[in-house]
Amino acid sequence: MAGEESTASGRLPSFSTRLAFIIVTAGSAVGLGNIWGFTYVAGKNGGGGFVLIYLLALAFVAAPVFIAELLLGRMGKGSPPTALGNLQQQTGSRVPWPIVAWAGLVGTILVLSFYCVIAGQAIYYALVAAGGGFADWSFEQVAALDADFKANAPGMALWAAVFMGLTAAIVSLDIRAGIERAGKIMMPLLFLMLMGLVAYGAVYGDFMRAVTFLFGFHQMDLSVRVLLEAVGQAFFTLGIGVGGIMMYGAYSGRDVKVGSATAWIVAMDLFVALAAGLAIFPLVFASGVDAAAGPGLVFLTLPQVFTAIPGGAFVAFVFFLLLVFAAITSSISLLSPTVARLEEAGWRRPVAAGAMASLAFLVGLLTVMSFSDWSDIHPLAFLGLEGLTAFDLIREGVSNFVLPLSGLAYVLMIGWALRKDAVQKSLSMQDGTLFQFWHMAIRFIVPVAIIAMFLTALFG
Ligand code: PHE
C-alpha cells in the first residue's frame, strides 16, 4: 500500500516543544551504549587512548551525520522509507534512496533484538537488588547469579519479552502521550541517579585512578579494529544510521534549531558516557576486580563490587534502574520507525507496535541462545570470524558496518543531492560560518573518513 503518501505535514504528529524534542532525542542517544557499551569497550581497549579516538570520531564524524539524519526526516516528513522517497522525488534522482531506509529498518530490529536481552537482564537484576540482593553476598553468589541467568534460556527470553512489552506499550500510545512523556519522566530521573552514583564513587571508590584510566594515556595498539570500534561506538551511542533519529527529525517542530539542539544532545550523550565511567570505574578499581572484563563488566564485575560497599543493595537497585530507563528511552526510538511505516500502510498503532516488538523478540532469541546453549557456536568461523557468537556478529555487524555505511549514504544525499539553500533553511542555523563548516564536513570530511576506514579495514 505504498500509495499512502504522508507528505501532508498536518497529518504527521510532532513533539510539543523544542525542549521536549531535545529531551526525547537525547533519550534515544543515551542508552545501553553509554553505560554498558562505553564502559566495556573503553575498558577492553585500555582507556585513555581509545577515549580520545572516540571523542574525535564523535565530534568530526558522528555529530555531522547526526545532523544529516535529523534533517532527512525533517525535510522528508514521514517514516524513513517515505521520507527518503519524498526527497528522492524532489531531487529527481534515479538512485533508489528508500533502500537505505529499508536497510535501516532491518537495523532497528537487529539492534532491538540484543537490546531487549541485555535490558531484560537489567530488569531482573534491579528486582534482585530491590529484594535486598547483592549486599553481603560472596563473589561466588554473584557469579552464580549471572551463570544461572545465562544457563536458563527460557528465563532470559521471559525478561527480554517483559522489556519488549514495556517498549511496545509506550510506542502504542500517541507520540506526545507515549514517547514524549516517557522521555520527560525518565531522562531527568536518569540524570539524578547518575549524579548520585558518581558522588558515591567519588566518596567510596578510587576516583583518581578512574580519572587516570579514562583520560590518561596508556599503551595501546592502534589497530584498525580499535578504530572501527571507536567509530562504531560513536555512531551507536548517538543512535544514528538506522532511522530512529530520522523519525524523530520528522516529529521535530518547526521552531527547533537543529544545530543547537544537536549540540545539546551530543553533549548530554557524552556526559552520560563519561559520568557512567566515573561512576563505575572508581568502584571497580577500589575493589580490585578486572576493568577489562568485557561485556560482563556491568553484570558480573560491578555486582561483585556491590557486595562489599555500604548500602550495596540500594546502590545496585539505583544502578540497574538507571540502566533500564536508559534502555527504554532508546528502544522506543528504535521501535518507532517500523511502526510509523506500518501506520502509513493503514495499520493501527498498537497492532503495529505489538507486531514489530514480537519480531524483534523472536530475532532476540539468537542472542538468548548465544548467551546460553550456543555460547560455543561461532556461525561464521568458516569466514575467518572465529570466536564470534551470533550475538557478537549482530552487535558488531550492525554498529561497525550498517551504521557507518548508512551514515555515509545520508551525508551523500544531503551534501551532494539536495539543494544547499533548502538544507540551510530546514536547519535554521543562524551562524553562516558554522553552516559552511558542517556542509564541508558532510561533503568531504565524513565520506573520506568513513571510506578510508573501510578501505584500511579491508586491505590494511
Ligand atoms: N544510542 C543508543 C545507545 O547508546 C542505541 C541506539 C542505536 C538507539 C540506534 C537508537 C538507534 O544505547
Side-chain angles (χ1 to χ4, degrees), residues 260-341:
S260 60
T262 300
W264 277 106
I265 294 161
V266 174
M268 281 193 242
D269 184 70
L270 180 61
F271 177 81
V272 172
L274 296 178
L278 289 179
I280 293 175
F281 287 118
L283 299 178
V284 165
F285 286 130
S287 71
V289 289
D290 182 13
L297 185 67
V298 156
F299 292 112
L300 195 56
T301 313
L302 196 61
Q304 293 185 346
V305 173
F306 295 142
T307 60
I309 59 179
F314 182 70
V315 180
F317 176 70
V318 172
F319 177 78
F320 288 112
L321 193 64
L322 169 103
L323 208 55
V324 174
F325 280 6
I328 288 188
T329 55
S330 296
S331 64
I332 53 182
S333 79
L334 284 159
L335 194 60
S336 59
T338 45
V339 169
R341 182 64 192 84

